[in-house]
Amino acid sequence: MIIKIIGGRVIDPGQNIDEISDVYIKNDKIIHVGLSKPAGIEREKDFKIIDASNKIVSPGLIDMHVHLREPGHEYKETIETGCRAAVHGGFTAICCMPNTNPVNDNKEVTEYILKKAGDLNLSRVYPVASISCGLLGKKLSEFSHLKEAGAIAFSDDGHPVESSLFMRRALEYAGGMGLFIISHCEDLELADHGVMNEGDVSTLLGLSGIANESESIMVMRDIALSKLTKTHVHIAHVSTKESVIAIGHAKAAGISVTAETAPHYFTLTDKAVLGYNTNAKMNPPLRSDEDREAVIGGLFDNTIDVIATDHAPHAVIEKELEFDLAQNGIIGLETSLSLGLKLVHENRLTLFALIEKMSTNPAKILGLETGVRPGIIADITIIDPDLNYTVCLKDFYSLSKNTPFDGWQLKGRAVLTMVGGKIVYSEL
Amino acid sequence: MQLRNKDILDIASLLPEEINFILDTAEKMKDISKRPIKKVPTLRGKTIFLVFFEPSTRTRLSFDVAAKRLSADVISMTASSSSVVKGESLLDTVKNLESMNPDIIVLRHFCSGAPHFISKRLSVPVINAGDGMHDHPSQSLLDLMTIRENKGSLKGLRITIIGDIAHSRVARADITGFIKMGAYVVVCGPPTMIPKGIEVLGCRVETDFSKAVKGADVIMVLRLQKERQKHFLLSSEREYNKVYGLSLKHIENADQDVLIMHPGPVNRGVEISNDAADSPFSIILDQVTNGVAVRMALFYLLAGGIKDDN
């Protein structure tokens, strides 16, 4: 069967395209893009028509930073509920972090995740394997075995690599195999068990603070080690002004570094913690308004390449607690695009740049082929940028409900998600 | 007059007129403790739970005495003797307690915001008896009462607080309360113990001890927590005493009628010398006396004492 998406505004930053076009899909591939009819196609009445007028047709969105919690913590999220949340949010592909139980430090876990995800036929799942066995920072995981099994990158996310020597060796080792490292940058000793950003709000609430520098010191270290080892390092969840500046300098110096931030860092500040709101507790913590502005600036000037959610599902019993004792993290898959579009509606970022950061750039970093052009696998997200709606927990597919955005009035979201020519989510 | 909220969670949530109302009530309560028969039937038949998740002698005893002088039934629970050791959550614990129909729950907890967290989920009034590094409203109220008693009013007074401001809930509660009632507050201590952004509470930071003490009407000395050296906050108690310890020789530069206060327990020879602690300027023991009165007032106002009197 042929699917014809008509009248949509096709934005594909990878080809520098922004124009009204029809998109023809046959089986799993895009066969034609343009207002003309493709050659050799006759019986148009058999087509499945999707009317995308006044909507954006984008290459499928990719979230590089997701915690799926399976295996081991299926009460928070399973591969299935996570993938359903992903396609609801417009994501055709997600990368899942290795801090499961058991840790994804061996090919059996990688294969298990890929088998489960493959059977679901929802979003694509690319496992990120751990740098160190058991996330302990002592012994390198078997990168080559893991790559062969399907691991797309390596990270000790959530358990930052404290040893500079270990990080150096990990980068060297990965570089030799054409792999790259995603780094959760945090000097744990400097962070000193803090539970929120250090500043006026932490002082007011009597909560122990985490200085910006506990992130930026490690960002600077990893930039230095990337230069030393000539290996690509991708900085996860950038939250501070100092990190943005350091990454900007590194890029100007030609060092192979890329970076991501999460929607909450450009949407919220540490004021969201007031009232001891545990749905505003995450690591790195929500920062000051100055940091939020710097993060938006970094997105605008391409210092920050990627928007990724750090989707971190937690059960109610892990959040309905004293602030000090609550788990870090919030879910993000089902609000990420709308929060990105909020920046667009506020004229802080162009739609083109948003799609670049949510699709084109992550694909480039991960080495995936993407785009809205003939011959490419049809991973497509259709976005209604002007749809007003209220965020409502009961509409979420994620098993966990830990979000600070419940009840927010937002504008714009994904209305159709297509993976390999198959419609996996649709409101059209 | 009545208090606007069902709970006493922090000093910031009280209006200045509510604070004065509480202190006026406390002054009346103070007389009860001076009588030969130190008990009135005001809260007879009321039940007060003291739930302490942190070791405390003075504060727990003070709440206990206050409740008993008003004839309330007091039940004490500490973390080690409770099902907390079996892994029960705070919320489950206090919901179970609420099911026994107490009239007030007094909570001390090592987590900042713990009383705020439970109060939103309970209908019984909650009094914060100290939460983490955040607040300690009954301490601030008793300090306000003691200063007001001696100086008439807080308005225009220069109050200096010396010590580990960063980790002290008493410091936060006092700074907020003193400023709310019209005083100027200066905080002083090693920069390792001054939290970032403390000015947001309205106080000024002075790292020079002699300047901080100069011209002060009230000097509040905080207890130096013995375990702080582990966190690289100071070199030794000896050096702390040398640079930040209050002794009588410093008082010469302060106001003639200066008051010396300390929330206790005192480390004599560390943050304060013997001669200063025992000097006529010291009102440290008055603070303890007033603590009982303030807590009686809070119980009386929250447990519906007013309505029952009518």
Side-chain angles (χ1 to χ4, degrees):
Chain A
M1 194 184 60
I2 291 177
I3 297 175
K4 181 182 179 188
I5 302 171
I6 57 166
R9 179 178 162 197
V10 175
I11 301 182
D12 181 1
Q15 305 178 79
N16 202 22
I17 282 175
D18 182 351
E19 63 194 19
I20 306 285
S21 252
D22 298 337
V23 179
Y24 294 76
I25 294 127
K26 188 177 179 186
N27 301 326
D28 62 343
K29 284 200 172 73
I30 298 168
I31 54 166
H32 183 74
V33 180
L35 289 174
S36 63
K37 249 206 293 187
I41 299 284
E42 293 297 326
R43 293 159 48 83
E44 189 149 334
K45 64 176 165 44
D46 294 343
F47 292 3
K48 174 175 171 59
I49 305 287
I50 296 169
D51 184 358
S53 36
N54 301 317
K55 297 182 179 62
I56 313 294
V57 179
S58 158
L61 305 182
I62 300 168
D63 188 343
M64 280 182 72
H65 197 136
V66 172
H67 296 272
L68 282 180
R69 306 300 189 201
E70 186 180 349
H73 306 114
E74 289 83 357
Y75 66 97
K76 297 176 194 251
E77 192 86 285
T78 64
I79 293 168
E80 178 172 355
T81 57
C83 287
R84 287 196 192 286
V87 298
H88 179 224
F91 293 101
T92 58
I94 55 179
C95 297
C96 60
M97 288 296 160
N99 59 340
T100 46
N101 185 17
V103 170
N104 185 10
D105 61 4
N106 61 77
K107 70 181 176 52
E108 285 71 23
V109 175
T110 301
E111 281 162 359
Y112 171 84
I113 294 166
L114 285 171
K115 169 78 172 67
K116 275 241 159 170
D119 290 349
L120 289 167
N121 264 314
L122 293 162
S123 66
R124 299 177 197 283
V125 173
Y126 297 103
V128 175
S130 68
I131 303 172
S132 67
C133 295
L135 299 167
L136 299 171
K138 298 286 180 209
K139 183 172 176 291
L140 288 171
S141 306
E142 293 176 318
F143 287 10
S144 164
H145 283 88
L146 286 156
K147 182 194 177 183
E148 222 169 77
I152 199 160
F154 292 81
S155 179
D156 273 5
D157 184 62
H159 299 258
V161 176
E162 294 298 293
S163 158
S164 301
L165 177 63
F166 188 82
M167 192 53 139
R168 173 193 173 159
R169 296 304 183 214
L171 283 162
E172 283 173 336
Y173 197 67
M177 294 176 189
L179 300 167
F180 76 105
I181 299 282
I182 299 172
S183 179
H184 168 136
C185 292
E186 183 184 4
D187 182 332
L188 284 173
E189 202 181 9
L190 185 57
D192 198 19
H193 306 288
V195 294
M196 71 169 296
N197 181 51
E198 180 178 328
D200 294 1
V201 182
S202 65
T203 295
L204 209 57
L205 294 175
L207 293 171
S208 47
I210 304 170
N212 279 16
E213 286 69 16
S214 37
E215 174 178 301
S216 59
I217 283 174
M218 284 309 207
V219 168
M220 290 176 198
R221 179 199 74 174
D222 288 346
I223 287 167
L225 292 175
S226 165
K227 187 180 173 210
L228 174 69
T229 60
K230 299 186 180 62
T231 299
H232 173 202
V233 66
H234 176 78
I235 310 291
H237 41 57
V238 168
S239 73
T240 73
K241 181 182 173 179
E242 292 79 5
S243 301
V244 174
I245 292 169
I247 294 161
H249 288 325
K251 285 189 164 186
I255 297 167
S256 179
V257 54
T258 53
E260 72 187 32
T261 191
H264 37 277
Y265 301 119
F266 61 69
T267 307
L268 300 172
T269 66
D270 56 359
K271 288 198 171 68
V273 178
L274 288 169
Y276 300 94
N277 178 10
T278 56
N279 279 330
K281 184 181 179 186
M282 63 277 289
N283 187 22
L286 296 171
R287 301 285 186 182
S288 70
D289 200 47
E290 200 182 331
D291 293 301
R292 190 179 73 94
E293 284 297 321
V295 166
I296 295 172
L299 285 168
F300 180 78
D301 70 11
N302 291 321
T303 303
I304 298 176
D305 308 87
V306 169
I307 295 170
T309 61
D310 197 2
H311 180 81
H314 289 297
V316 174
I317 50 165
E318 295 164 322
K319 281 292 196 180
E320 184 83 344
L321 285 174
E322 301 88 306
F323 194 88
D324 284 340
L325 307 182
Q327 294 275 344
N328 280 313
I330 60 168
I331 54 169
L333 284 167
E334 293 167 271
T335 45
S336 180
L337 177 58
S338 299
L339 294 169
L341 285 165
K342 188 166 181 288
L343 283 185
V344 174
H345 292 305
E346 289 164 358
N347 292 319
R348 305 300 304 270
L349 201 66
T350 64
L351 200 46
F352 192 86
L354 179 69
I355 291 171
E356 201 170 24
K357 286 167 202 305
M358 294 188 72
S359 175
T360 316
N361 288 349
K364 219 183 285 173
I365 290 166
L366 296 164
L368 305 173
E369 199 175 30
T370 176
V372 186
R373 64 173 197 272
I376 298 285
I377 295 286
D379 285 4
I380 288 171
T381 305
I382 300 180
I383 301 163
D384 183 341
D386 299 313
L387 181 73
N388 285 300
Y389 75 106
T390 306
V391 178
C392 186
L393 285 179
K394 68 171 173 28
D395 299 335
F396 280 18
Y397 289 83
S398 177
L399 199 55
S400 290
K401 310 294 172 193
N402 50 314
T403 173
F405 301 113
D406 184 33
W408 277 43
Q409 299 283 325
L410 292 173
K411 188 175 173 186
R413 68 170 186 235
V415 290
L416 184 140
T417 310
M418 178 187 286
V419 177
K422 196 169 154 274
I423 296 167
V424 290
Y425 177 81
S426 178
E427 296 176 16
L428 294 178
Chain B
M1 185 170 175
Q2 277 203 318
L3 300 178
R4 292 172 309 144
N5 304 316
K6 77 170 173 77
D7 312 296
I8 303 286
L9 297 178
D10 48 41
I11 206 78
S13 313
L14 293 169
L15 300 172
E17 49 269 37
E18 288 178 303
I19 291 174
N20 274 327
F21 175 53
I22 294 167
L23 300 189
D24 293 345
T25 311
E27 265 162 29
K28 287 174 205 149
M29 295 293 170
K30 200 173 170 179
D31 292 338
I32 298 170
S33 297
K34 290 176 189 157
R35 295 176 196 167
I37 309 293
K38 304 179 187 62
K39 203 176 183 89
V40 293
T42 317
L43 295 187
R44 197 173 54 199
K46 304 280 182 186
T47 309
I48 295 172
F49 283 164
L50 306 182
V51 184
F52 277 61
F53 284 84
E54 220 183 37
S56 159
T57 312
R58 175 179 331 235
T59 305
R60 193 155 56 90
L61 216 66
S62 178
F63 273 110
D64 200 347
V65 167
K68 283 173 177 154
R69 296 215 167 136
L70 295 173
S71 301
D73 295 313
V74 189
I75 291 95
S76 260
M77 188 196 105
T78 53
S80 56
S81 66
S82 75
S83 49
V84 175
V85 288
K86 298 177 196 160
E88 191 181 45
S89 77
L90 172 64
L91 190 57
D92 279 339
T93 302
V94 295
K95 280 195 163 166
N96 276 281
L97 296 180
E98 187 181 39
S99 303
M100 300 176 201
N101 300 311
D103 296 281
I104 293 178
I105 289 179
V106 178
L107 178 72
R108 154 139 331 168
H109 201 280
F110 49 87
C111 290
S112 297
H116 303 68
F117 166 69
I118 64 160
S119 73
K120 281 182 213 154
R121 291 155 181 85
L122 301 177
S123 53
V124 60
V126 175
I127 297 178
N128 177 6
D131 62 323
M133 307 184 292
H134 175 234
D135 213 308
H136 193 355
S138 64
Q139 176 73 42
S140 178
L141 289 165
L142 74 88
D143 288 337
L144 285 165
M145 180 177 176
T146 312
I147 297 171
R148 202 179 78 160
E149 232 171 36
N150 282 273
K151 298 279 188 186
S153 151
L154 271 281
K155 275 212 175 55
L157 292 183
R158 217 196 107 138
I159 305 180
T160 298
I161 304 177
I162 299 162
D164 184 357
I165 310 295
H167 300 91
S168 171
R169 55 183 166 230
V170 176
R172 278 176 181 75
D174 274 350
I175 293 168
T176 308
F178 295 167
I179 288 173
K180 186 165 267 195
M181 301 314 284
Y184 299 102
V185 177
V186 172
V187 297
C188 178
T192 49
M193 298 180 182
I194 306 287
K196 200 168 156 184
I198 188 72
E199 294 88 351
V200 75
L201 297 178
C203 62
R204 194 166 66 73
V205 178
E206 175 56 71
T207 43
D208 184 323
F209 181 81
S210 56
K211 282 187 195 159
V213 173
K214 198 175 173 196
D217 297 297
V218 179
I219 301 171
M220 167 77 69
V221 183
L222 299 176
R223 176 181 164 76
L224 183 75
Q225 303 284 335
K226 299 259 182 188
E227 68 276 11
R228 293 296 173 216
Q229 275 149 291
K230 278 186 227 146
H231 298 270
F232 321 130
L233 298 180
L234 74 156
S235 55
S236 65
E237 287 178 10
R238 186 174 73 155
E239 185 163 87
Y240 183 88
N241 176 258
K242 178 174 169 276
V243 186
Y244 301 100
L246 186 78
S247 66
L248 269 187
K249 69 172 193 279
H250 300 115
I251 309 281
E252 293 161 13
N253 293 324
D255 186 82
Q256 278 196 338
D257 304 318
V258 68
L259 302 174
I260 297 174
M261 302 175 77
H262 192 301
V266 177
N267 293 313
R268 285 168 184 265
V270 182
E271 69 266 5
I272 189 165
S273 67
N274 265 331
D275 60 359
D278 299 333
S279 71
F281 304 107
S282 168
I283 50 169
I284 295 172
L285 296 176
D286 299 342
Q287 291 173 267
V288 180
T289 306
N290 287 338
V292 175
V294 156
R295 286 162 184 136
M296 287 170 80
L298 294 178
F299 286 147
Y300 173 71
L301 295 172
L302 290 188
I306 293 174
K307 281 171 230 152
D308 285 8
D309 275 4
N310 296 336

